[in-house]
Short mmCIF file of all heavy atoms in Angstrom, two decimals:
data_model
loop_
_atom_site.label_atom_id
_atom_site.label_comp_id
_atom_site.label_asym_id
_atom_site.label_seq_id
_atom_site.Cartn_x
_atom_site.Cartn_y
_atom_site.Cartn_z
N MET R 1 67.04 -137.48 -73.03
CA MET R 1 65.96 -136.97 -72.18
C MET R 1 64.92 -136.31 -73.12
O MET R 1 65.24 -135.49 -73.96
CB MET R 1 66.48 -135.92 -71.22
CG MET R 1 65.50 -135.57 -70.13
SD MET R 1 66.23 -134.46 -68.90
CE MET R 1 67.32 -135.58 -68.07
N THR R 2 63.68 -136.70 -72.95
CA THR R 2 62.62 -136.20 -73.81
C THR R 2 61.69 -135.30 -73.05
O THR R 2 61.19 -135.69 -72.01
CB THR R 2 61.84 -137.36 -74.41
OG1 THR R 2 62.73 -138.24 -75.09
CG2 THR R 2 60.80 -136.91 -75.40
N THR R 3 61.49 -134.18 -73.57
CA THR R 3 60.52 -133.23 -73.00
C THR R 3 59.17 -133.47 -73.68
O THR R 3 59.01 -133.28 -74.83
CB THR R 3 60.94 -131.78 -73.23
OG1 THR R 3 62.21 -131.58 -72.65
CG2 THR R 3 59.99 -130.83 -72.51
N VAL R 4 58.21 -133.91 -72.89
CA VAL R 4 56.90 -134.22 -73.42
C VAL R 4 56.07 -132.93 -73.54
O VAL R 4 55.46 -132.70 -74.59
CB VAL R 4 56.16 -135.24 -72.50
CG1 VAL R 4 54.79 -135.53 -73.09
CG2 VAL R 4 56.99 -136.49 -72.41
N LEU R 5 56.03 -132.17 -72.51
CA LEU R 5 55.23 -131.00 -72.51
C LEU R 5 56.10 -129.74 -72.68
O LEU R 5 57.12 -129.64 -72.07
CB LEU R 5 54.41 -130.88 -71.24
CG LEU R 5 53.35 -131.96 -71.03
CD1 LEU R 5 52.76 -131.81 -69.61
CD2 LEU R 5 52.28 -131.84 -72.07
N THR R 6 55.61 -128.83 -73.47
CA THR R 6 56.29 -127.57 -73.55
C THR R 6 55.98 -126.78 -72.29
O THR R 6 54.79 -126.59 -71.99
CB THR R 6 55.79 -126.78 -74.79
OG1 THR R 6 56.02 -127.57 -75.96
CG2 THR R 6 56.53 -125.44 -74.90
N PRO R 7 56.97 -126.36 -71.58
CA PRO R 7 56.68 -125.62 -70.34
C PRO R 7 55.94 -124.32 -70.67
O PRO R 7 56.30 -123.59 -71.57
CB PRO R 7 58.10 -125.32 -69.78
CG PRO R 7 59.01 -126.21 -70.52
CD PRO R 7 58.38 -126.49 -71.83
N ALA R 8 54.91 -124.08 -69.90
CA ALA R 8 54.18 -122.84 -70.08
C ALA R 8 55.06 -121.68 -69.60
O ALA R 8 55.87 -121.83 -68.70
CB ALA R 8 52.89 -122.88 -69.34
N SER R 9 54.84 -120.55 -70.22
CA SER R 9 55.65 -119.43 -69.74
C SER R 9 55.20 -119.01 -68.34
O SER R 9 53.99 -119.14 -68.01
CB SER R 9 55.44 -118.23 -70.72
OG SER R 9 54.07 -117.96 -70.87
N PRO R 10 56.12 -118.56 -67.53
CA PRO R 10 55.79 -118.19 -66.12
C PRO R 10 54.78 -117.06 -66.14
O PRO R 10 54.76 -116.21 -67.02
CB PRO R 10 57.12 -117.75 -65.56
CG PRO R 10 58.16 -118.26 -66.46
CD PRO R 10 57.53 -118.38 -67.82
N LEU R 11 53.95 -117.10 -65.14
CA LEU R 11 53.03 -115.97 -64.97
C LEU R 11 53.79 -114.72 -64.53
O LEU R 11 54.75 -114.83 -63.81
CB LEU R 11 51.98 -116.34 -63.94
CG LEU R 11 51.05 -117.54 -64.34
CD1 LEU R 11 50.31 -118.02 -63.14
CD2 LEU R 11 50.10 -117.08 -65.39
N THR R 12 53.32 -113.60 -64.98
CA THR R 12 53.98 -112.37 -64.67
C THR R 12 52.99 -111.42 -63.99
O THR R 12 51.79 -111.73 -63.89
CB THR R 12 54.55 -111.67 -65.92
OG1 THR R 12 53.46 -111.19 -66.71
CG2 THR R 12 55.36 -112.63 -66.74
N ALA R 13 53.48 -110.28 -63.60
CA ALA R 13 52.65 -109.24 -62.97
C ALA R 13 51.58 -108.75 -63.92
O ALA R 13 50.60 -108.15 -63.57
CB ALA R 13 53.45 -108.11 -62.50
N ALA R 14 51.82 -108.98 -65.25
CA ALA R 14 50.85 -108.55 -66.23
C ALA R 14 49.69 -109.48 -66.35
O ALA R 14 48.66 -109.16 -66.94
CB ALA R 14 51.55 -108.41 -67.55
N ASP R 15 49.80 -110.67 -65.79
CA ASP R 15 48.72 -111.65 -65.82
C ASP R 15 47.81 -111.38 -64.64
O ASP R 15 48.26 -111.33 -63.49
CB ASP R 15 49.30 -113.06 -65.74
CG ASP R 15 50.05 -113.44 -67.00
OD1 ASP R 15 49.50 -113.27 -68.07
OD2 ASP R 15 51.17 -113.91 -66.87
N ARG R 16 46.52 -111.22 -64.93
CA ARG R 16 45.58 -110.80 -63.94
C ARG R 16 44.46 -111.80 -63.75
O ARG R 16 44.00 -112.42 -64.72
CB ARG R 16 44.95 -109.46 -64.31
CG ARG R 16 45.98 -108.32 -64.33
CD ARG R 16 46.39 -107.94 -62.92
NE ARG R 16 47.70 -107.26 -62.89
CZ ARG R 16 48.21 -106.78 -61.75
NH1 ARG R 16 47.57 -106.92 -60.63
NH2 ARG R 16 49.38 -106.21 -61.79
N CYS R 17 44.00 -111.90 -62.49
CA CYS R 17 42.93 -112.81 -62.20
C CYS R 17 41.69 -112.41 -62.97
O CYS R 17 41.33 -111.25 -63.05
CB CYS R 17 42.61 -112.70 -60.70
SG CYS R 17 41.18 -113.61 -60.14
N ASP R 18 41.02 -113.41 -63.55
CA ASP R 18 39.81 -113.14 -64.31
C ASP R 18 38.65 -112.67 -63.48
O ASP R 18 37.68 -112.12 -63.95
CB ASP R 18 39.40 -114.41 -65.09
CG ASP R 18 40.33 -114.69 -66.22
OD1 ASP R 18 41.01 -113.79 -66.74
OD2 ASP R 18 40.42 -115.86 -66.63
N ARG R 19 38.76 -112.93 -62.20
CA ARG R 19 37.63 -112.60 -61.31
C ARG R 19 37.78 -111.28 -60.60
O ARG R 19 36.83 -110.51 -60.45
CB ARG R 19 37.44 -113.70 -60.21
CG ARG R 19 37.25 -115.07 -60.80
CD ARG R 19 35.98 -115.18 -61.61
NE ARG R 19 34.81 -114.79 -60.86
CZ ARG R 19 33.62 -115.27 -61.06
NH1 ARG R 19 33.44 -116.21 -61.97
NH2 ARG R 19 32.61 -114.88 -60.36
N CYS R 20 39.01 -110.92 -60.17
CA CYS R 20 39.13 -109.75 -59.34
C CYS R 20 40.24 -108.80 -59.85
O CYS R 20 40.35 -107.71 -59.33
CB CYS R 20 39.40 -110.13 -57.88
SG CYS R 20 41.01 -110.86 -57.63
N GLY R 21 41.01 -109.21 -60.81
CA GLY R 21 42.04 -108.33 -61.36
C GLY R 21 43.33 -108.28 -60.58
O GLY R 21 44.26 -107.58 -60.91
N ALA R 22 43.43 -109.11 -59.52
CA ALA R 22 44.69 -109.19 -58.78
C ALA R 22 45.72 -109.96 -59.61
O ALA R 22 45.33 -110.61 -60.60
CB ALA R 22 44.47 -109.86 -57.44
N GLN R 23 46.94 -109.94 -59.22
CA GLN R 23 47.96 -110.64 -59.98
C GLN R 23 47.66 -112.13 -59.95
O GLN R 23 47.31 -112.70 -58.91
CB GLN R 23 49.34 -110.40 -59.36
CG GLN R 23 50.41 -111.08 -60.18
CD GLN R 23 51.81 -110.70 -59.70
OE1 GLN R 23 51.99 -109.76 -58.98
NE2 GLN R 23 52.82 -111.44 -60.17
N ALA R 24 47.75 -112.75 -61.12
CA ALA R 24 47.40 -114.14 -61.25
C ALA R 24 48.55 -115.05 -60.84
O ALA R 24 49.71 -114.82 -61.18
CB ALA R 24 46.99 -114.43 -62.69
N TYR R 25 48.22 -116.12 -60.14
CA TYR R 25 49.21 -117.11 -59.76
C TYR R 25 48.87 -118.52 -60.24
O TYR R 25 49.57 -119.47 -60.03
CB TYR R 25 49.44 -117.12 -58.23
CG TYR R 25 50.25 -115.94 -57.79
CD1 TYR R 25 49.65 -114.77 -57.37
CD2 TYR R 25 51.66 -116.05 -57.79
CE1 TYR R 25 50.44 -113.70 -56.97
CE2 TYR R 25 52.43 -114.97 -57.41
CZ TYR R 25 51.82 -113.78 -56.97
OH TYR R 25 52.56 -112.72 -56.56
N LEU R 26 47.71 -118.62 -60.88
CA LEU R 26 47.30 -119.90 -61.46
C LEU R 26 46.86 -119.73 -62.91
O LEU R 26 46.11 -118.78 -63.20
CB LEU R 26 46.16 -120.53 -60.69
CG LEU R 26 46.53 -121.24 -59.38
CD1 LEU R 26 46.28 -120.32 -58.22
CD2 LEU R 26 45.77 -122.52 -59.25
N ARG R 27 47.40 -120.57 -63.75
CA ARG R 27 46.90 -120.57 -65.14
C ARG R 27 46.21 -121.90 -65.36
O ARG R 27 46.80 -122.97 -65.15
CB ARG R 27 48.06 -120.39 -66.15
CG ARG R 27 47.61 -120.63 -67.59
CD ARG R 27 48.77 -120.56 -68.56
NE ARG R 27 49.18 -119.23 -68.83
CZ ARG R 27 50.43 -118.80 -68.73
NH1 ARG R 27 51.40 -119.59 -68.35
NH2 ARG R 27 50.75 -117.57 -69.05
N VAL R 28 44.99 -121.87 -65.78
CA VAL R 28 44.20 -123.04 -65.99
C VAL R 28 43.98 -123.24 -67.49
O VAL R 28 43.41 -122.38 -68.12
CB VAL R 28 42.84 -122.99 -65.29
CG1 VAL R 28 42.03 -124.22 -65.51
CG2 VAL R 28 43.05 -122.75 -63.79
N VAL R 29 44.50 -124.33 -68.00
CA VAL R 29 44.33 -124.67 -69.43
C VAL R 29 43.12 -125.58 -69.56
O VAL R 29 43.10 -126.66 -68.95
CB VAL R 29 45.59 -125.33 -70.02
CG1 VAL R 29 45.35 -125.58 -71.52
CG2 VAL R 29 46.80 -124.41 -69.80
N LEU R 30 42.18 -125.14 -70.37
CA LEU R 30 40.92 -125.89 -70.48
C LEU R 30 41.02 -126.89 -71.64
O LEU R 30 41.81 -126.71 -72.58
CB LEU R 30 39.77 -124.96 -70.75
CG LEU R 30 39.57 -123.87 -69.68
CD1 LEU R 30 38.45 -122.91 -70.10
CD2 LEU R 30 39.28 -124.46 -68.36
N ALA R 31 40.20 -127.92 -71.59
CA ALA R 31 40.18 -128.89 -72.67
C ALA R 31 39.82 -128.25 -73.99
O ALA R 31 40.18 -128.74 -75.09
CB ALA R 31 39.16 -130.01 -72.32
N SER R 32 39.05 -127.17 -73.95
CA SER R 32 38.64 -126.48 -75.16
C SER R 32 39.78 -125.65 -75.77
O SER R 32 39.65 -125.16 -76.88
CB SER R 32 37.48 -125.52 -74.82
OG SER R 32 37.88 -124.55 -73.90
N GLY R 33 40.90 -125.55 -75.01
CA GLY R 33 42.03 -124.80 -75.53
C GLY R 33 42.09 -123.42 -74.92
O GLY R 33 43.07 -122.70 -75.13
N GLY R 34 41.06 -123.04 -74.23
CA GLY R 34 41.07 -121.73 -73.58
C GLY R 34 41.94 -121.69 -72.32
O GLY R 34 42.42 -122.74 -71.85
N GLU R 35 42.12 -120.53 -71.81
CA GLU R 35 42.92 -120.33 -70.58
C GLU R 35 42.18 -119.46 -69.63
O GLU R 35 41.52 -118.52 -70.01
CB GLU R 35 44.24 -119.69 -70.92
CG GLU R 35 45.36 -120.62 -71.31
CD GLU R 35 46.69 -119.92 -71.43
OE1 GLU R 35 46.73 -118.68 -71.11
OE2 GLU R 35 47.62 -120.53 -71.82
N LEU R 36 42.30 -119.82 -68.37
CA LEU R 36 41.82 -118.94 -67.31
C LEU R 36 42.92 -118.56 -66.34
O LEU R 36 43.83 -119.37 -66.07
CB LEU R 36 40.66 -119.64 -66.53
CG LEU R 36 39.40 -120.00 -67.33
CD1 LEU R 36 38.48 -120.80 -66.46
CD2 LEU R 36 38.70 -118.73 -67.79
N LEU R 37 42.90 -117.36 -65.88
CA LEU R 37 43.91 -116.92 -64.86
C LEU R 37 43.20 -116.60 -63.58
O LEU R 37 42.17 -116.00 -63.53
CB LEU R 37 44.62 -115.70 -65.44
CG LEU R 37 45.45 -115.93 -66.70
CD1 LEU R 37 46.00 -114.58 -67.18
CD2 LEU R 37 46.55 -116.90 -66.53
N PHE R 38 43.82 -117.02 -62.50
CA PHE R 38 43.26 -116.72 -61.17
C PHE R 38 44.35 -116.31 -60.20
O PHE R 38 45.49 -116.82 -60.26
CB PHE R 38 42.53 -117.93 -60.63
CG PHE R 38 41.29 -118.35 -61.36
CD1 PHE R 38 41.31 -119.45 -62.25
CD2 PHE R 38 40.13 -117.61 -61.21
CE1 PHE R 38 40.17 -119.76 -62.93
CE2 PHE R 38 39.01 -117.96 -61.93
CZ PHE R 38 39.01 -119.04 -62.79
N CYS R 39 43.99 -115.45 -59.26
CA CYS R 39 44.91 -115.14 -58.19
C CYS R 39 44.85 -116.35 -57.22
O CYS R 39 44.11 -117.26 -57.38
CB CYS R 39 44.43 -113.89 -57.47
SG CYS R 39 42.80 -114.04 -56.66
N ALA R 40 45.72 -116.29 -56.19
CA ALA R 40 45.79 -117.41 -55.30
C ALA R 40 44.44 -117.66 -54.56
O ALA R 40 44.02 -118.77 -54.38
CB ALA R 40 46.90 -117.16 -54.27
N HIS R 41 43.83 -116.55 -54.19
CA HIS R 41 42.58 -116.62 -53.49
C HIS R 41 41.53 -117.33 -54.32
O HIS R 41 40.87 -118.28 -53.91
CB HIS R 41 42.10 -115.23 -53.11
CG HIS R 41 40.71 -115.19 -52.57
ND1 HIS R 41 40.42 -115.58 -51.29
CD2 HIS R 41 39.53 -114.83 -53.12
CE1 HIS R 41 39.11 -115.44 -51.10
NE2 HIS R 41 38.54 -114.99 -52.23
N HIS R 42 41.30 -116.85 -55.56
CA HIS R 42 40.25 -117.42 -56.41
C HIS R 42 40.71 -118.80 -56.94
O HIS R 42 39.86 -119.63 -57.23
CB HIS R 42 39.95 -116.47 -57.54
CG HIS R 42 39.07 -115.34 -57.08
ND1 HIS R 42 39.48 -114.03 -57.06
CD2 HIS R 42 37.81 -115.35 -56.56
CE1 HIS R 42 38.50 -113.27 -56.62
NE2 HIS R 42 37.48 -114.02 -56.28
N GLY R 43 41.97 -118.99 -57.11
CA GLY R 43 42.43 -120.29 -57.53
C GLY R 43 42.04 -121.38 -56.54
O GLY R 43 41.57 -122.44 -56.87
N ARG R 44 42.20 -121.07 -55.25
CA ARG R 44 41.81 -121.98 -54.22
C ARG R 44 40.30 -122.14 -54.17
O ARG R 44 39.78 -123.23 -54.01
CB ARG R 44 42.31 -121.52 -52.83
CG ARG R 44 43.74 -121.97 -52.54
CD ARG R 44 44.06 -121.82 -51.09
NE ARG R 44 44.06 -120.42 -50.68
CZ ARG R 44 45.17 -119.66 -50.65
NH1 ARG R 44 46.33 -120.20 -51.04
NH2 ARG R 44 45.12 -118.42 -50.26
N LYS R 45 39.61 -121.03 -54.34
CA LYS R 45 38.16 -121.03 -54.24
C LYS R 45 37.54 -121.89 -55.32
O LYS R 45 36.60 -122.64 -55.08
CB LYS R 45 37.65 -119.61 -54.34
CG LYS R 45 36.14 -119.49 -54.20
CD LYS R 45 35.71 -118.02 -54.25
CE LYS R 45 34.20 -117.92 -54.08
NZ LYS R 45 33.77 -116.52 -54.07
N PHE R 46 38.10 -121.84 -56.52
CA PHE R 46 37.48 -122.56 -57.63
C PHE R 46 38.20 -123.84 -57.97
O PHE R 46 37.84 -124.52 -58.97
CB PHE R 46 37.49 -121.65 -58.91
CG PHE R 46 36.61 -120.46 -58.76
CD1 PHE R 46 37.13 -119.16 -58.78
CD2 PHE R 46 35.22 -120.57 -58.56
CE1 PHE R 46 36.33 -118.05 -58.64
CE2 PHE R 46 34.39 -119.47 -58.42
CZ PHE R 46 34.95 -118.20 -58.47
N GLU R 47 39.17 -124.18 -57.18
CA GLU R 47 39.97 -125.36 -57.49
C GLU R 47 39.16 -126.61 -57.76
O GLU R 47 39.39 -127.35 -58.75
CB GLU R 47 41.02 -125.60 -56.38
CG GLU R 47 42.03 -126.72 -56.81
CD GLU R 47 43.07 -126.88 -55.72
OE1 GLU R 47 42.78 -126.64 -54.54
OE2 GLU R 47 44.16 -127.24 -56.11
N PRO R 48 38.17 -126.92 -56.88
CA PRO R 48 37.38 -128.16 -57.16
C PRO R 48 36.69 -128.15 -58.52
O PRO R 48 36.61 -129.19 -59.20
CB PRO R 48 36.36 -128.13 -56.03
CG PRO R 48 36.97 -127.31 -54.96
CD PRO R 48 37.76 -126.29 -55.67
N GLU R 49 36.18 -126.99 -58.93
CA GLU R 49 35.52 -126.89 -60.20
C GLU R 49 36.55 -126.92 -61.34
O GLU R 49 36.31 -127.58 -62.39
CB GLU R 49 34.78 -125.55 -60.31
CG GLU R 49 33.66 -125.44 -59.27
CD GLU R 49 32.63 -126.53 -59.47
OE1 GLU R 49 32.26 -126.81 -60.63
OE2 GLU R 49 32.22 -127.14 -58.46
N LEU R 50 37.65 -126.27 -61.13
CA LEU R 50 38.66 -126.17 -62.18
C LEU R 50 39.24 -127.58 -62.51
O LEU R 50 39.52 -127.90 -63.66
CB LEU R 50 39.83 -125.26 -61.76
CG LEU R 50 39.41 -123.81 -61.58
CD1 LEU R 50 40.55 -123.00 -61.04
CD2 LEU R 50 38.89 -123.20 -62.86
N LYS R 51 39.36 -128.38 -61.47
CA LYS R 51 39.96 -129.70 -61.70
C LYS R 51 39.07 -130.58 -62.52
O LYS R 51 39.51 -131.53 -63.16
CB LYS R 51 40.22 -130.38 -60.34
CG LYS R 51 41.46 -129.87 -59.70
CD LYS R 51 41.83 -130.61 -58.41
CE LYS R 51 43.15 -130.17 -57.87
NZ LYS R 51 43.47 -130.79 -56.58
N LYS R 52 37.78 -130.21 -62.66
CA LYS R 52 36.87 -130.98 -63.48
C LYS R 52 37.00 -130.65 -64.98
O LYS R 52 36.71 -131.46 -65.80
CB LYS R 52 35.43 -130.73 -63.06
CG LYS R 52 35.08 -131.18 -61.64
CD LYS R 52 33.64 -130.80 -61.32
CE LYS R 52 33.35 -130.97 -59.84
NZ LYS R 52 32.00 -130.39 -59.48
N ILE R 53 37.41 -129.41 -65.21
CA ILE R 53 37.40 -128.94 -66.58
C ILE R 53 38.79 -128.66 -67.16
O ILE R 53 38.91 -128.46 -68.34
CB ILE R 53 36.53 -127.67 -66.70
CG1 ILE R 53 37.15 -126.55 -65.84
CG2 ILE R 53 35.10 -127.94 -66.35
CD1 ILE R 53 36.42 -125.19 -66.02
N ALA R 54 39.80 -128.66 -66.28
CA ALA R 54 41.13 -128.30 -66.74
C ALA R 54 41.89 -129.52 -67.23
O ALA R 54 41.75 -130.62 -66.70
CB ALA R 54 41.89 -127.64 -65.62
N VAL R 55 42.71 -129.30 -68.24
CA VAL R 55 43.64 -130.34 -68.67
C VAL R 55 45.00 -130.13 -68.04
O VAL R 55 45.80 -131.02 -67.95
CB VAL R 55 43.76 -130.39 -70.20
CG1 VAL R 55 42.47 -130.87 -70.83
CG2 VAL R 55 44.18 -129.08 -70.77
N GLU R 56 45.19 -128.89 -67.58
CA GLU R 56 46.43 -128.53 -66.89
C GLU R 56 46.22 -127.31 -66.02
O GLU R 56 45.54 -126.41 -66.39
CB GLU R 56 47.51 -128.22 -67.97
CG GLU R 56 48.89 -127.93 -67.35
CD GLU R 56 49.94 -127.64 -68.42
OE1 GLU R 56 49.72 -127.97 -69.58
OE2 GLU R 56 50.91 -126.97 -68.08
N ILE R 57 46.80 -127.41 -64.85
CA ILE R 57 46.75 -126.27 -63.92
C ILE R 57 48.20 -125.89 -63.57
O ILE R 57 48.89 -126.64 -62.98
CB ILE R 57 45.94 -126.57 -62.68
CG1 ILE R 57 44.48 -126.85 -63.05
CG2 ILE R 57 46.01 -125.40 -61.72
CD1 ILE R 57 43.61 -127.21 -61.85
N GLN R 58 48.55 -124.72 -63.98
CA GLN R 58 49.90 -124.23 -63.64
C GLN R 58 49.78 -123.41 -62.34
O GLN R 58 49.21 -122.34 -62.32
CB GLN R 58 50.43 -123.34 -64.78
CG GLN R 58 51.80 -122.77 -64.54
CD GLN R 58 52.25 -121.86 -65.64
OE1 GLN R 58 51.59 -121.76 -66.68
NE2 GLN R 58 53.35 -121.17 -65.49
N ASP R 59 50.32 -123.96 -61.28
CA ASP R 59 50.13 -123.39 -59.98
C ASP R 59 51.42 -122.70 -59.50
O ASP R 59 52.42 -123.41 -59.24
CB ASP R 59 49.69 -124.51 -58.99
CG ASP R 59 49.35 -123.91 -57.60
OD1 ASP R 59 49.74 -122.74 -57.37
OD2 ASP R 59 48.74 -124.64 -56.82
N GLU R 60 51.39 -121.42 -59.46
CA GLU R 60 52.59 -120.68 -58.98
C GLU R 60 52.33 -120.01 -57.65
O GLU R 60 53.02 -119.09 -57.29
CB GLU R 60 53.02 -119.68 -60.06
CG GLU R 60 53.43 -120.35 -61.36
CD GLU R 60 54.15 -119.38 -62.27
OE1 GLU R 60 54.42 -118.23 -61.90
OE2 GLU R 60 54.45 -119.79 -63.41
N THR R 61 51.36 -120.48 -56.96
CA THR R 61 51.02 -119.89 -55.63
C THR R 61 52.15 -120.07 -54.63
O THR R 61 52.23 -119.34 -53.67
CB THR R 61 49.75 -120.46 -55.05
OG1 THR R 61 49.89 -121.89 -54.96
CG2 THR R 61 48.56 -120.13 -55.93
N GLY R 62 53.04 -121.05 -54.91
CA GLY R 62 54.18 -121.25 -54.05
C GLY R 62 55.09 -120.04 -53.97
O GLY R 62 55.77 -119.84 -52.97
N ARG R 63 55.06 -119.28 -55.02
CA ARG R 63 55.90 -118.09 -55.04
C ARG R 63 55.43 -117.05 -54.03
O ARG R 63 56.24 -116.20 -53.60
CB ARG R 63 55.88 -117.43 -56.44
CG ARG R 63 56.62 -118.25 -57.49
CD ARG R 63 56.88 -117.45 -58.71
NE ARG R 63 55.63 -117.08 -59.42
CZ ARG R 63 55.50 -115.92 -60.00
NH1 ARG R 63 56.41 -115.01 -60.02
NH2 ARG R 63 54.37 -115.67 -60.65
N LEU R 64 54.16 -117.13 -53.62
CA LEU R 64 53.66 -116.17 -52.67
C LEU R 64 54.38 -116.31 -51.34
O LEU R 64 54.64 -115.29 -50.69
CB LEU R 64 52.18 -116.43 -52.46
CG LEU R 64 51.25 -115.90 -53.55
CD1 LEU R 64 49.87 -116.40 -53.34
CD2 LEU R 64 51.26 -114.39 -53.56
N SER R 65 54.70 -117.49 -50.94
CA SER R 65 55.28 -117.71 -49.64
C SER R 65 56.82 -117.52 -49.65
O SER R 65 57.44 -117.33 -48.60
CB SER R 65 54.97 -119.11 -49.10
OG SER R 65 55.41 -120.10 -50.00
N THR R 66 57.36 -117.51 -50.87
CA THR R 66 58.82 -117.40 -50.95
C THR R 66 59.29 -115.99 -51.25
O THR R 66 60.40 -115.65 -50.99
CB THR R 66 59.37 -118.34 -52.02
OG1 THR R 66 58.72 -118.12 -53.24
CG2 THR R 66 59.16 -119.79 -51.62
N THR R 67 58.40 -115.25 -51.89
CA THR R 67 58.83 -113.87 -52.30
C THR R 67 58.50 -112.83 -51.29
O THR R 67 58.92 -111.71 -51.36
CB THR R 67 58.17 -113.47 -53.65
OG1 THR R 67 56.74 -113.57 -53.49
CG2 THR R 67 58.60 -114.43 -54.73
N ASN R 68 57.67 -113.18 -50.33
CA ASN R 68 57.25 -112.26 -49.27
C ASN R 68 56.52 -111.02 -49.82
O ASN R 68 56.52 -109.98 -49.19
CB ASN R 68 58.53 -111.83 -48.47
CG ASN R 68 58.17 -111.54 -47.02
OD1 ASN R 68 57.11 -111.99 -46.53
ND2 ASN R 68 58.99 -110.82 -46.30
N ALA R 69 55.98 -111.17 -50.98
CA ALA R 69 55.22 -110.08 -51.53
C ALA R 69 53.90 -109.89 -50.78
O ALA R 69 53.43 -110.89 -50.19
CB ALA R 69 54.91 -110.34 -53.04
N SER R 70 53.38 -108.72 -50.84
CA SER R 70 52.11 -108.49 -50.13
C SER R 70 50.99 -109.21 -50.86
O SER R 70 50.65 -108.81 -52.00
CB SER R 70 51.81 -107.00 -50.06
OG SER R 70 51.75 -106.45 -51.35
N ALA R 71 50.48 -110.24 -50.27
CA ALA R 71 49.49 -111.04 -50.92
C ALA R 71 48.08 -110.50 -50.60
O ALA R 71 47.83 -110.07 -49.48
CB ALA R 71 49.59 -112.50 -50.46
N ASP R 72 47.23 -110.55 -51.59
CA ASP R 72 45.85 -110.13 -51.33
C ASP R 72 45.09 -111.30 -50.74
O ASP R 72 44.16 -111.82 -51.30
CB ASP R 72 45.21 -109.63 -52.59
CG ASP R 72 45.13 -110.71 -53.67
OD1 ASP R 72 46.00 -111.62 -53.64
OD2 ASP R 72 44.18 -110.72 -54.47
N ASP R 73 45.50 -111.64 -49.58
CA ASP R 73 44.99 -112.84 -48.93
C ASP R 73 43.98 -112.44 -47.86
O ASP R 73 44.26 -111.47 -47.12
CB ASP R 73 46.10 -113.63 -48.34
CG ASP R 73 45.77 -115.10 -48.22
OD1 ASP R 73 44.57 -115.44 -48.12
OD2 ASP R 73 46.70 -115.92 -48.24
N ASP R 74 42.85 -113.14 -47.76
CA ASP R 74 41.87 -112.73 -46.76
C ASP R 74 41.86 -113.69 -45.57
O ASP R 74 40.89 -113.81 -44.85
CB ASP R 74 40.47 -112.67 -47.42
CG ASP R 74 40.02 -114.01 -47.91
OD1 ASP R 74 40.86 -114.97 -47.83
OD2 ASP R 74 38.90 -114.14 -48.32
N GLU R 75 42.92 -114.36 -45.38
CA GLU R 75 42.95 -115.37 -44.30
C GLU R 75 43.59 -114.86 -43.01
O GLU R 75 44.05 -115.63 -42.17
CB GLU R 75 43.67 -116.65 -44.79
CG GLU R 75 42.90 -117.39 -45.86
CD GLU R 75 43.59 -118.58 -46.33
OE1 GLU R 75 44.78 -118.78 -45.99
OE2 GLU R 75 42.98 -119.38 -47.09
N HIS R 76 43.68 -113.57 -42.90
CA HIS R 76 44.30 -113.04 -41.68
C HIS R 76 43.29 -113.03 -40.55
O HIS R 76 42.14 -112.88 -40.73
CB HIS R 76 44.74 -111.60 -41.92
CG HIS R 76 45.83 -111.52 -42.96
ND1 HIS R 76 47.08 -112.00 -42.75
CD2 HIS R 76 45.81 -111.03 -44.19
CE1 HIS R 76 47.79 -111.76 -43.87
NE2 HIS R 76 47.07 -111.19 -44.75
ZN1 ZN Z 101 41.04 -113.18 -57.82
#
């Protein structure tokens, strides 16, 4: 079995959204080698743009629905 990609380290509570400072659930790896972090809210908001510039999007927003943590979600 060959591992092609090195798994990115999981996002932690120390990883913060670049836009609002909330806990990050998405890591966006850019073609330039840079990284952007977004909370679930901003990850969704910028997803169409991010998909144009990202070479990889690590999406951990699924943890929001499984951990029952208080999400900073504005969809109530
Ligand atoms: Zn945010």
Side-chain angles (χ1 to χ4, degrees):
M1 194 175 289
T2 304
T3 303
V4 178
L5 294 173
T6 303
S9 54
L11 294 166
T12 71
D15 292 310
R16 294 288 158 177
C17 174
D18 288 336
R19 302 299 302 210
C20 70
Q23 183 172 347
Y25 284 93
L26 282 97
R27 172 186 281 128
V28 180
V29 181
L30 304 176
S32 62
E35 273 188 5
L36 296 173
L37 298 174
F38 292 104
C39 65
H41 171 77
H42 283 115
R44 274 196 293 269
K45 182 176 181 180
F46 294 117
E47 188 176 30
E49 297 300 316
L50 296 175
K51 282 184 172 175
K52 296 177 190 170
I53 60 174
V55 293
E56 184 181 338
I57 297 179
Q58 179 183 352
D59 185 344
E60 298 193 4
T61 56
R63 289 195 295 142
L64 283 171
S65 56
T66 55
T67 57
N68 213 19
S70 61
D72 61 331
D73 207 333
D74 63 354
E75 292 180 349
H76 296 292

